[in-house]
Amino acid sequence: MGKKVKAKEHEREYEDELRLLQIELVKLQRQIIAGNLRLLVILEGRDTAGKDGTIKRIVEHLSPRETRVVALGKPSSREEGEWYFQRYVAELPSSGEFAIFNRSWYNRAGVEKVMGFCTQAQYKQFMDSVNEFESLLVDSGIQILKYYLDIDKKEQAERLESRKTDPLKQWKISPIDQQAQKYWKAYSIARNAMLLKTSTSSAPWTVINANNKKLTHINLIQDLLSRVSYPGKDKKLLKTQPDIVMPCPPLGKKIPKLAP
């Protein structure tokens, strides 16, 4: 009985803290709209790391007209013949918009690299050009925040199994997800290379330890709000946990300790 009571208390504390942070997100959106600002948040990470659930908590009380969640599927045959960034450019935020990319052009540095969906030349060209591309976006007035959600191998295995047995999660199962454990080490190598090469001062990466879903939601939102300017910010709500939120230093310096 005591465990159930404690669980309910923790859930209530989470819901209360989340609500206060969602109020801060509404304040932020008001500023984005009033100032004709453009904010782009990129979420990458391991399969099952919790990108969908985190996005759901971010956008839950925001205006659907000025908030866009972008989750592009497999490119068409025509898109495969385009400049790689082209289909993503069409989804960038306009004035007064807040856009969240649930996976992004970094597919090329992760899934495509590991699964052999791109050539080595295409991968190299991407890695050599993405920083310059993002610099152009930042210079045009788009603020970019990049988050990588990291989980350990055991936690991923448990979440993958849960998807198989929960009828409400069946839509989340994909052939790529089913290969996640098999290619775990290759994804780790690709992740490390991406973080080392593409975390810049103008578009830095922040790694989130995502083993605990609720802590992921709270800490990522806290960090996001701490990195943007808006009137009436309640700074005392925005203190993150250093073992959950791990900023990546710029270009070529040591990355945080991550799941091997």
Side-chain angles (χ1 to χ4, degrees), residues 201-237:
S201 56
S202 60
W205 279 106
T206 300
V207 176
I208 305 293
N209 178 343
N211 281 321
N212 182 303
K213 292 180 181 180
K214 289 183 172 62
L215 289 179
T216 297
H217 304 157
I218 296 296
N219 279 266
L220 191 148
I221 295 172
Q222 287 173 323
D223 186 77
L224 189 163
L225 290 165
S226 73
R227 291 175 181 270
V228 290
S229 299
Y230 59 93
K233 180 186 291 191
D234 190 344
K235 293 183 180 179
K236 69 180 184 292
L237 296 174

Short mmCIF file of all heavy atoms in Angstrom, two decimals, residues 201-237:
data_model
loop_
_atom_site.label_atom_id
_atom_site.label_comp_id
_atom_site.label_asym_id
_atom_site.label_seq_id
_atom_site.Cartn_x
_atom_site.Cartn_y
_atom_site.Cartn_z
N SER A 201 29.18 26.39 -31.64
CA SER A 201 28.75 27.42 -30.69
C SER A 201 27.40 28.01 -31.09
O SER A 201 26.62 28.42 -30.23
CB SER A 201 29.80 28.53 -30.61
OG SER A 201 30.06 29.07 -31.90
N SER A 202 27.09 28.03 -32.37
CA SER A 202 25.82 28.61 -32.82
C SER A 202 24.68 27.59 -32.84
O SER A 202 23.51 27.96 -32.79
CB SER A 202 25.97 29.24 -34.21
OG SER A 202 26.38 28.27 -35.15
N ALA A 203 25.03 26.29 -32.93
CA ALA A 203 24.00 25.24 -32.94
C ALA A 203 24.55 24.04 -32.16
O ALA A 203 24.91 23.02 -32.72
CB ALA A 203 23.64 24.84 -34.37
N PRO A 204 24.60 24.17 -30.82
CA PRO A 204 25.22 23.12 -30.00
C PRO A 204 24.30 21.91 -29.78
O PRO A 204 23.08 22.02 -29.84
CB PRO A 204 25.47 23.83 -28.67
CG PRO A 204 24.37 24.85 -28.59
CD PRO A 204 24.14 25.31 -30.00
N TRP A 205 24.92 20.78 -29.50
CA TRP A 205 24.18 19.60 -29.07
C TRP A 205 24.10 19.57 -27.55
O TRP A 205 25.05 19.96 -26.86
CB TRP A 205 24.88 18.32 -29.52
CG TRP A 205 24.63 17.92 -30.94
CD1 TRP A 205 25.51 18.03 -31.99
CD2 TRP A 205 23.44 17.33 -31.48
NE1 TRP A 205 24.93 17.56 -33.14
CE2 TRP A 205 23.67 17.12 -32.87
CE3 TRP A 205 22.22 16.96 -30.93
CZ2 TRP A 205 22.71 16.56 -33.70
CZ3 TRP A 205 21.25 16.41 -31.76
CH2 TRP A 205 21.50 16.20 -33.13
N THR A 206 22.97 19.08 -27.05
CA THR A 206 22.83 18.77 -25.63
C THR A 206 22.36 17.33 -25.53
O THR A 206 21.36 16.96 -26.16
CB THR A 206 21.82 19.70 -24.93
OG1 THR A 206 22.27 21.06 -25.06
CG2 THR A 206 21.68 19.35 -23.46
N VAL A 207 23.09 16.51 -24.79
CA VAL A 207 22.70 15.11 -24.60
C VAL A 207 21.80 15.01 -23.37
O VAL A 207 22.08 15.61 -22.33
CB VAL A 207 23.93 14.20 -24.42
CG1 VAL A 207 23.51 12.77 -24.14
CG2 VAL A 207 24.80 14.26 -25.67
N ILE A 208 20.71 14.25 -23.52
CA ILE A 208 19.80 14.00 -22.40
C ILE A 208 19.86 12.52 -22.04
O ILE A 208 19.63 11.67 -22.89
CB ILE A 208 18.35 14.37 -22.77
CG1 ILE A 208 18.24 15.82 -23.27
CG2 ILE A 208 17.41 14.12 -21.59
CD1 ILE A 208 18.51 16.87 -22.22
N ASN A 209 20.19 12.23 -20.79
CA ASN A 209 20.11 10.85 -20.30
C ASN A 209 18.63 10.52 -20.16
O ASN A 209 17.94 10.99 -19.26
CB ASN A 209 20.81 10.74 -18.95
CG ASN A 209 20.72 9.35 -18.35
OD1 ASN A 209 19.89 8.53 -18.74
ND2 ASN A 209 21.57 9.06 -17.38
N ALA A 210 18.12 9.68 -21.08
CA ALA A 210 16.68 9.48 -21.22
C ALA A 210 16.19 8.15 -20.65
O ALA A 210 15.11 7.67 -21.01
CB ALA A 210 16.29 9.59 -22.70
N ASN A 211 16.94 7.56 -19.75
CA ASN A 211 16.52 6.28 -19.16
C ASN A 211 15.24 6.40 -18.34
O ASN A 211 14.48 5.45 -18.22
CB ASN A 211 17.64 5.68 -18.30
CG ASN A 211 18.72 5.01 -19.13
OD1 ASN A 211 18.43 4.35 -20.12
ND2 ASN A 211 19.96 5.17 -18.73
N ASN A 212 15.03 7.58 -17.75
CA ASN A 212 13.80 7.84 -17.00
C ASN A 212 12.96 8.83 -17.80
O ASN A 212 13.37 9.97 -18.01
CB ASN A 212 14.14 8.40 -15.61
CG ASN A 212 12.91 8.64 -14.76
OD1 ASN A 212 12.00 9.37 -15.14
ND2 ASN A 212 12.88 8.04 -13.59
N LYS A 213 11.78 8.39 -18.24
CA LYS A 213 10.98 9.22 -19.16
C LYS A 213 10.53 10.53 -18.52
O LYS A 213 10.60 11.59 -19.16
CB LYS A 213 9.76 8.43 -19.64
CG LYS A 213 10.12 7.26 -20.55
CD LYS A 213 8.87 6.53 -21.00
CE LYS A 213 9.24 5.34 -21.89
NZ LYS A 213 8.03 4.61 -22.36
N LYS A 214 10.08 10.48 -17.29
CA LYS A 214 9.58 11.70 -16.64
C LYS A 214 10.70 12.71 -16.42
O LYS A 214 10.52 13.92 -16.64
CB LYS A 214 8.87 11.36 -15.33
CG LYS A 214 7.52 10.66 -15.52
CD LYS A 214 6.84 10.41 -14.18
CE LYS A 214 5.42 9.89 -14.37
NZ LYS A 214 5.36 8.60 -15.07
N LEU A 215 11.86 12.22 -15.99
CA LEU A 215 13.01 13.12 -15.81
C LEU A 215 13.45 13.70 -17.15
O LEU A 215 13.89 14.86 -17.23
CB LEU A 215 14.17 12.39 -15.15
CG LEU A 215 13.99 12.03 -13.67
CD1 LEU A 215 15.21 11.28 -13.15
CD2 LEU A 215 13.74 13.28 -12.82
N THR A 216 13.32 12.91 -18.21
CA THR A 216 13.64 13.41 -19.56
C THR A 216 12.74 14.58 -19.91
O THR A 216 13.22 15.64 -20.36
CB THR A 216 13.46 12.29 -20.60
OG1 THR A 216 14.38 11.24 -20.33
CG2 THR A 216 13.69 12.82 -22.01
N HIS A 217 11.44 14.41 -19.72
CA HIS A 217 10.49 15.48 -20.07
C HIS A 217 10.81 16.77 -19.30
O HIS A 217 10.92 17.85 -19.90
CB HIS A 217 9.05 15.05 -19.74
CG HIS A 217 8.63 13.78 -20.40
ND1 HIS A 217 7.61 12.99 -19.93
CD2 HIS A 217 9.08 13.16 -21.52
CE1 HIS A 217 7.46 11.93 -20.71
NE2 HIS A 217 8.35 12.02 -21.69
N ILE A 218 10.94 16.63 -17.99
CA ILE A 218 11.15 17.81 -17.14
C ILE A 218 12.47 18.50 -17.47
O ILE A 218 12.52 19.72 -17.70
CB ILE A 218 11.12 17.42 -15.65
CG1 ILE A 218 9.74 16.88 -15.24
CG2 ILE A 218 11.53 18.59 -14.77
CD1 ILE A 218 8.61 17.87 -15.34
N ASN A 219 13.55 17.74 -17.52
CA ASN A 219 14.87 18.34 -17.71
C ASN A 219 15.06 18.91 -19.10
O ASN A 219 15.69 19.96 -19.25
CB ASN A 219 15.96 17.31 -17.40
CG ASN A 219 16.22 17.16 -15.92
OD1 ASN A 219 17.10 17.80 -15.36
ND2 ASN A 219 15.44 16.32 -15.27
N LEU A 220 14.55 18.25 -20.12
CA LEU A 220 14.71 18.80 -21.46
C LEU A 220 13.95 20.12 -21.60
O LEU A 220 14.47 21.09 -22.17
CB LEU A 220 14.24 17.79 -22.51
CG LEU A 220 14.59 18.15 -23.97
CD1 LEU A 220 14.83 16.89 -24.79
CD2 LEU A 220 13.51 18.99 -24.63
N ILE A 221 12.73 20.16 -21.08
CA ILE A 221 11.95 21.41 -21.16
C ILE A 221 12.65 22.51 -20.36
O ILE A 221 12.72 23.67 -20.80
CB ILE A 221 10.51 21.19 -20.67
CG1 ILE A 221 9.77 20.24 -21.62
CG2 ILE A 221 9.76 22.53 -20.59
CD1 ILE A 221 8.40 19.81 -21.12
N GLN A 222 13.17 22.17 -19.18
CA GLN A 222 13.90 23.16 -18.39
C GLN A 222 15.08 23.72 -19.16
O GLN A 222 15.31 24.94 -19.18
CB GLN A 222 14.39 22.52 -17.08
CG GLN A 222 13.31 22.24 -16.06
CD GLN A 222 13.83 21.45 -14.87
OE1 GLN A 222 14.68 20.57 -15.03
NE2 GLN A 222 13.33 21.75 -13.68
N ASP A 223 15.84 22.84 -19.80
CA ASP A 223 17.01 23.29 -20.55
C ASP A 223 16.60 24.14 -21.74
O ASP A 223 17.21 25.19 -22.00
CB ASP A 223 17.83 22.09 -21.02
CG ASP A 223 19.14 22.51 -21.67
OD1 ASP A 223 20.07 22.86 -20.93
OD2 ASP A 223 19.21 22.53 -22.92
N LEU A 224 15.58 23.71 -22.46
CA LEU A 224 15.09 24.47 -23.61
C LEU A 224 14.72 25.90 -23.20
O LEU A 224 15.15 26.87 -23.82
CB LEU A 224 13.88 23.75 -24.20
CG LEU A 224 13.28 24.20 -25.53
CD1 LEU A 224 12.39 23.09 -26.10
CD2 LEU A 224 12.48 25.48 -25.41
N LEU A 225 13.94 26.00 -22.12
CA LEU A 225 13.49 27.32 -21.67
C LEU A 225 14.66 28.18 -21.20
O LEU A 225 14.65 29.40 -21.36
CB LEU A 225 12.48 27.15 -20.54
CG LEU A 225 11.12 26.58 -20.95
CD1 LEU A 225 10.33 26.12 -19.73
CD2 LEU A 225 10.31 27.60 -21.75
N SER A 226 15.68 27.54 -20.63
CA SER A 226 16.83 28.31 -20.13
C SER A 226 17.65 28.90 -21.27
O SER A 226 18.41 29.86 -21.06
CB SER A 226 17.72 27.41 -19.25
OG SER A 226 18.44 26.49 -20.03
N ARG A 227 17.53 28.35 -22.47
CA ARG A 227 18.36 28.77 -23.60
C ARG A 227 17.71 29.82 -24.50
O ARG A 227 18.33 30.27 -25.47
CB ARG A 227 18.74 27.54 -24.45
CG ARG A 227 19.69 26.60 -23.74
CD ARG A 227 19.95 25.33 -24.54
NE ARG A 227 20.85 24.44 -23.83
CZ ARG A 227 22.17 24.44 -23.94
NH1 ARG A 227 22.76 25.31 -24.75
NH2 ARG A 227 22.91 23.60 -23.26
N VAL A 228 16.47 30.18 -24.21
CA VAL A 228 15.78 31.17 -25.02
C VAL A 228 15.32 32.34 -24.15
O VAL A 228 15.11 32.18 -22.95
CB VAL A 228 14.57 30.55 -25.76
CG1 VAL A 228 15.04 29.61 -26.86
CG2 VAL A 228 13.66 29.80 -24.80
N SER A 229 15.16 33.50 -24.77
CA SER A 229 14.77 34.69 -24.03
C SER A 229 13.28 34.97 -24.20
O SER A 229 12.76 34.90 -25.31
CB SER A 229 15.57 35.91 -24.53
OG SER A 229 16.95 35.70 -24.32
N TYR A 230 12.62 35.28 -23.09
CA TYR A 230 11.21 35.69 -23.13
C TYR A 230 10.88 36.42 -21.83
O TYR A 230 11.49 36.16 -20.79
CB TYR A 230 10.28 34.49 -23.34
CG TYR A 230 10.38 33.42 -22.26
CD1 TYR A 230 9.52 33.42 -21.16
CD2 TYR A 230 11.32 32.40 -22.36
CE1 TYR A 230 9.60 32.45 -20.19
CE2 TYR A 230 11.41 31.42 -21.39
CZ TYR A 230 10.54 31.44 -20.30
OH TYR A 230 10.63 30.47 -19.33
N PRO A 231 9.94 37.35 -21.86
CA PRO A 231 9.60 38.14 -20.67
C PRO A 231 8.93 37.27 -19.61
O PRO A 231 8.22 36.30 -19.92
CB PRO A 231 8.60 39.19 -21.21
CG PRO A 231 8.76 39.18 -22.68
CD PRO A 231 9.21 37.81 -23.06
N GLY A 232 9.19 37.59 -18.36
CA GLY A 232 8.51 36.92 -17.26
C GLY A 232 9.04 35.53 -16.95
O GLY A 232 8.35 34.74 -16.29
N LYS A 233 10.26 35.23 -17.41
CA LYS A 233 10.83 33.90 -17.18
C LYS A 233 11.01 33.64 -15.68
O LYS A 233 11.60 34.45 -14.97
CB LYS A 233 12.17 33.77 -17.90
CG LYS A 233 12.83 32.41 -17.72
CD LYS A 233 14.23 32.36 -18.33
CE LYS A 233 14.20 32.42 -19.84
NZ LYS A 233 15.54 32.11 -20.43
N ASP A 234 10.50 32.48 -15.23
CA ASP A 234 10.66 32.08 -13.83
C ASP A 234 11.90 31.19 -13.74
O ASP A 234 11.82 29.96 -13.87
CB ASP A 234 9.41 31.33 -13.36
CG ASP A 234 9.41 31.11 -11.84
OD1 ASP A 234 10.49 31.25 -11.23
OD2 ASP A 234 8.35 30.78 -11.29
N LYS A 235 13.06 31.80 -13.52
CA LYS A 235 14.33 31.09 -13.59
C LYS A 235 14.48 30.01 -12.53
O LYS A 235 15.21 29.04 -12.73
CB LYS A 235 15.49 32.09 -13.50
CG LYS A 235 15.59 33.02 -14.70
CD LYS A 235 16.78 33.94 -14.58
CE LYS A 235 16.87 34.87 -15.79
NZ LYS A 235 18.01 35.80 -15.68
N LYS A 236 13.77 30.16 -11.42
CA LYS A 236 13.93 29.16 -10.36
C LYS A 236 13.34 27.80 -10.76
O LYS A 236 13.67 26.78 -10.14
CB LYS A 236 13.29 29.66 -9.06
CG LYS A 236 11.78 29.75 -9.05
CD LYS A 236 11.29 30.25 -7.71
CE LYS A 236 9.76 30.26 -7.62
NZ LYS A 236 9.17 31.28 -8.52
N LEU A 237 12.53 27.77 -11.80
CA LEU A 237 11.96 26.52 -12.28
C LEU A 237 12.90 25.77 -13.23
O LEU A 237 12.62 24.63 -13.60
CB LEU A 237 10.64 26.77 -13.02
CG LEU A 237 9.47 27.35 -12.23
CD1 LEU A 237 8.32 27.65 -13.18
CD2 LEU A 237 9.02 26.38 -11.15
#
